[in-house]
Amino acid sequence: MFAALYGEFAPHAWHDPESEHDAYQLFLQRSLAMGWLDDRAGAAQEAASERRTIVAPGLWAMNDAGWSHPLAAPASKLISWFQVEASEVASDRPLPVQPFLRCAQDTTERIGVVQLDAVQVLLPVQGVDASTRPAYAVVPSMQTPEWFGECDPRSRASVRIRIDSGRTPSVPAIASQLTRHLSRLEQDVFVGAADDQIPLDSFPTPPFDDRFWDGPPTHGIVLSGELAEWSCDAIGWLAETVADSAAHLGIQSSLLFTVTRT
């Protein structure tokens, strides 16, 4: 998974730009502290010397992170980015996008004040096996929409969402089925519909090489609507829901999921 946060950022006055506590280290530390880091590879080496034998699987293994990226568009307002390798997804659990984005936000806010304008996530939908989903968790994220049930009604935020399959037109091919599937779910975390009036190029360009996935993002759909709140929690929950919905409709490749506030 890859996540990019966009918007306005004001570093704390005490923060040293040359500090050893960079985005990679802070994200790694936060992942480990919250039990989200999959450290089995490193643990195997320690286990060989009998220093540790019981290891939690975690949700992802660390790959890379940064406050800036050489491939980011100059005017993109990129604040931070994070890249991890998602662990194997359990049959009754979604892709861990919600904790992933929570960790990304926590890490970024550790060194400054963030005013988030957009969030972008590369979803490895090929890692979701829809055929293994049990009846009680056909879309696993639908077990948790009530987390947003206590939101202040005034917190609802207008958003635009782009879901893109890159060079392959797989998302446009299932556009009507996907929007219908999302609208039939019993939830109000996101309420919206397809919007053909919004151009695809009005969203941030991803800050990574097209070879990283099946890029560039040229085949997608746009949804307009409202989120229960403008937060990485709500965005992550919706991304998980979209990933499973797409997998059920036969998508077996990475999708670029971008949400902007309007």
Side-chain angles (χ1 to χ4, degrees):
M1 293 188 293
F2 188 106
L5 307 186
Y6 300 88
E8 303 294 336
F9 179 72
H12 294 309
W14 48 260
H15 174 65
D16 179 3
E18 302 301 320
S19 170
E20 63 178 303
H21 306 301
D22 57 11
Y24 183 99
Q25 189 208 58
L26 290 173
F27 188 91
L28 177 69
Q29 290 287 301
R30 188 59 169 164
S31 299
L32 183 60
M34 299 303 291
W36 295 330
L37 185 69
D38 189 335
D39 193 31
R40 286 175 292 180
Q45 298 176 355
E46 293 191 15
S49 60
E50 299 183 354
R51 283 187 288 176
R52 183 167 60 172
T53 56
I54 301 175
V55 183
L59 299 177
W60 57 71
M62 192 66 198
N63 191 309
D64 205 355
W67 305 126
S68 61
H69 198 289
L71 297 180
S76 66
K77 299 171 67 175
L78 177 69
I79 300 173
S80 57
W81 60 274
F82 306 89
Q83 183 183 336
V84 300
E85 181 179 351
S87 304
E88 184 176 3
V89 180
S91 296
D92 63 346
R93 294 290 186 270
L95 277 171
V97 190
Q98 192 172 353
F100 179 43
L101 291 183
R102 179 72 262 176
C103 194
Q105 184 173 6
D106 286 351
T107 299
T108 308
E109 291 180 340
R110 195 66 174 168
I111 67 161
V113 178
V114 177
Q115 183 177 326
L116 205 59
D117 293 338
V119 175
Q120 193 167 57
V121 189
L122 189 63
L123 303 172
V125 178
Q126 65 272 20
V128 177
D129 186 351
S131 66
T132 67
R133 295 306 198 196
Y136 67 87
V138 175
V139 177
S141 57
M142 285 301 297
Q143 299 176 95
T144 60
E146 295 307 317
W147 168 249
F148 303 96
E150 286 299 305
C151 285
D152 184 338
R154 294 171 297 181
S155 296
R156 296 197 70 85
S158 297
V159 296
R160 293 174 177 174
I161 300 161
R162 174 175 173 172
I163 306 167
D164 203 292
S165 51
R167 292 179 297 172
T168 305
S170 53
V171 164
I174 63 162
S176 59
Q177 297 100 307
L178 181 59
T179 54
R180 189 182 311 118
H181 185 274
L182 293 172
S183 68
R184 289 177 176 174
L185 296 175
E186 295 183 6
Q187 57 83 30
D188 61 359
V189 182
F190 172 73
V191 178
D195 192 334
D196 297 332
Q197 303 303 311
I198 302 173
L200 292 177
D201 60 5
S202 62
F203 292 81
T205 302
F208 46 78
D209 194 282
D210 290 337
R211 292 170 294 182
F212 188 63
W213 68 306
D214 192 25
T218 53
H219 292 94
I221 61 171
V222 175
L223 309 177
S224 290
E226 284 189 344
L227 270 179
E229 61 183 22
W230 179 244
S231 69
C232 281
D233 268 351
I235 294 168
W237 184 92
L238 180 57
E240 294 172 350
T241 305
V242 167
D244 258 290
S245 299
H248 276 285
L249 293 171
I251 299 294
Q252 296 181 335
S253 59
S254 294
L255 298 181
L256 187 65
F257 178 86
T258 309
V259 183
T260 64
R261 189 171 190 175
T262 59

